[in-house]
Amino acid sequence: MSTPPIIQEADALRTKRRYHNKRSLCYIFRSGVAGGVAGCVAKTIIAPLDRVKILFQSSNPHFQRYAGTWMGVFQASKEIYTINGVRGLFQGHSATLLRILPYAAIKFVAFEQIRHILMPTKDTAFRHLMSGSLAGIASVLCTYPLELIRVRLAFEVRNDSRIGYISLCKQIYNESAASHRKFIHLPIMNFYRGLNPTIMGMIPYAGVSFFTHYLLTEICRTELKDLTTKPSLAVGKLDSRGQNMKAPLKTWAELTVGGLSGAIAQTISYPLEVIRRRMQVYGALDPTSYVGFWQTVRTIWVTNGFKGFFIGLSIGYLKVTPMVAVSFTVYHRMKLWLNID
């Protein structure tokens, strides 16, 4: 016996409301899955570049001769490959995936929720900036120890031994905090080395990334819509506000918008990223001391001057541009596939 049409329509309406109600567990779960998958795909694509950039930023003594030139990244990659093979290029990547899955999921879920609160009826560029910054802070606070472990694994270049997760965690936990003798210092705080510049850098990075992505997407949907959009994919679909869904961008346009967003955000926040990397690896260089934010700034300035805050920026562009492009593109494609917006 077939279900009456009126009941079918009611069931379809309930399903649509569940999928598009941003406060529902169904929407939160699906947006988290979309964000986590997007983050993992993007990070996997640029993993070798990510490792080389960490070695440059943290002034690893074995690779400083390659820093500062466009060809340096390829020369450093070749040396890593010669010493450790393909595995060397992806060293620390398992820790990256362990971190990026919850990081990206939390970031996109938080962005959607904060965006819904700040913009219940209409999107604005400034509120995208605010939503992106707050979402970035939330994701960093939840996953920072995993980021520290990833960086320390990527920093290790010795071929005579392979450090494991448990032994590395014990090493970080037991590192001294000599400069904190005047204050109460808990060993667990060693897993938060470099948190302050990370938060400071995430505010402009995530905020500008979402802000720029929104502006460029709107330009594509208005001024360049005939060239850059797929209207057929949005026909008959409603967004979370019950309005007609905006036409998604074509893949090449989505990648271009995402890449430009990442490059602009990277330029603005890069000095804080360099400071953060230095603070994260100081424990590996000298386990008996804890170096703070301003001491790190002074060290970089004395050693390399102003350009020291932009060491590795060229590889940063090579890494971040495709990473953000793929991340936004996969996220929006996953949202379409999971029937959420």
Side-chain angles (χ1 to χ4, degrees):
M1 183 175 180
S2 61
T3 305
I6 190 172
I7 296 179
Q8 291 180 352
E9 291 179 5
D11 290 340
L13 182 59
R14 281 194 295 270
T15 300
K16 182 178 293 187
R17 286 175 177 172
R18 186 171 71 253
Y19 284 178
H20 296 289
N21 178 10
K22 292 198 173 186
R23 295 302 182 86
S24 70
L25 291 177
C26 179
Y27 186 96
I28 292 173
F29 174 77
R30 288 177 176 238
S31 61
V33 170
V37 170
C40 289
V41 172
K43 275 291 188 179
T44 299
I45 289 175
I46 53 85
L49 292 172
D50 199 20
R51 190 183 180 211
V52 174
K53 192 180 87 162
I54 289 174
L55 293 172
F56 284 0
Q57 287 180 329
S58 55
S59 295
N60 187 290
H62 295 284
F63 290 89
Q64 275 305 286
R65 63 183 182 275
Y66 299 129
T69 64
W70 279 96
M71 291 302 297
V73 57
F74 303 105
Q75 294 170 334
S77 299
K78 182 179 179 180
E79 180 171 335
I80 294 172
Y81 178 80
T82 301
I83 297 174
N84 300 107
V86 175
R87 175 182 289 185
L89 294 172
F90 286 85
Q91 183 168 314
H93 186 55
S94 58
T96 297
L97 294 180
L98 186 64
R99 164 192 169 265
I100 201 63
L101 180 62
Y103 171 86
I106 292 170
K107 182 178 73 173
F108 281 109
V109 168
F111 173 76
E112 296 289 359
Q113 297 301 309
I114 296 171
R115 174 190 169 202
H116 182 68
I117 294 172
L118 295 180
M119 297 172 282
T121 58
K122 184 179 180 180
D123 288 343
T124 66
F126 176 71
R127 290 183 179 178
H128 268 262
L129 178 68
M130 294 177 59
S131 300
S133 297
L134 293 173
I137 292 173
S139 57
V140 165
L141 290 176
C142 293
T143 62
Y144 190 79
L146 295 173
E147 161 71 359
L148 179 67
I149 293 170
R150 176 185 80 91
V151 171
R152 293 287 287 270
L153 284 172
F155 181 76
E156 181 59 57
V157 296
R158 291 175 301 174
N159 194 34
D160 56 345
S161 64
R162 290 185 60 82
I163 189 168
Y165 291 112
I166 295 178
S167 57
L168 178 58
C169 288
K170 288 181 179 178
Q171 176 182 320
I172 295 172
Y173 184 83
N174 292 318
E175 287 169 358
S176 175
S179 63
H180 286 257
R181 284 176 294 185
K182 295 181 181 180
F183 307 97
I184 297 176
H185 178 76
L186 300 176
I188 194 66
M189 295 306 297
N190 290 337
F191 289 93
Y192 290 87
R193 287 176 181 264
L195 178 62
N196 288 340
T198 301
I199 295 295
M200 293 168 62
M202 184 54 63
I203 293 174
Y205 178 78
V208 171
S209 180
F210 280 101
F211 171 82
T212 308
H213 187 271
Y214 171 78
L215 285 182
L216 294 178
T217 299
E218 289 302 301
I219 291 173
C220 288
R221 284 173 172 164
T222 54
E223 304 298 328
L224 306 172
K225 62 180 179 180
D226 293 335
L227 178 64
T228 61
T229 63
K230 295 180 178 179
S232 59
L233 295 182
V235 174
K237 293 184 178 181
L238 301 178
D239 62 17
S240 58
R241 302 184 179 102
Q243 301 171 352
N244 291 328
M245 183 182 293
K246 295 180 180 179
L249 300 185
K250 294 179 180 178
T251 301
W252 71 266
E254 186 75 70
L255 289 169
T256 301
V257 167
L260 289 173
S261 302
I264 294 171
Q266 175 79 348
T267 303
I268 293 174
S269 63
Y270 195 79
L272 289 166
E273 185 177 346
V274 173
I275 297 169
R276 166 171 60 113
R277 295 297 191 208
R278 289 287 189 94
M279 293 181 68
Q280 287 173 333
V281 303
Y282 270 135
L285 296 172
D286 184 6
T288 64
S289 65
Y290 188 100
V291 181
F293 177 84
W294 291 112
Q295 187 176 348
T296 303
V297 171
R298 284 195 296 270
T299 300
I300 296 172
W301 178 264
V302 171
T303 305
N304 301 107
F306 181 76
K307 68 179 182 179
F309 295 98
F310 293 90
I311 288 178
L313 181 58
S314 59
I315 187 176
Y317 287 136
L318 292 176
K319 169 204 164 188
V320 169
T321 301
M323 183 187 73
V324 177
V326 171
S327 179
F328 273 117
T329 301
V330 173
Y331 178 65
H332 288 296
R333 292 297 180 268
M334 286 292 295
K335 287 177 69 177
L336 287 174
W337 185 65
L338 293 171
N339 194 29
I340 59 174
D341 181 62

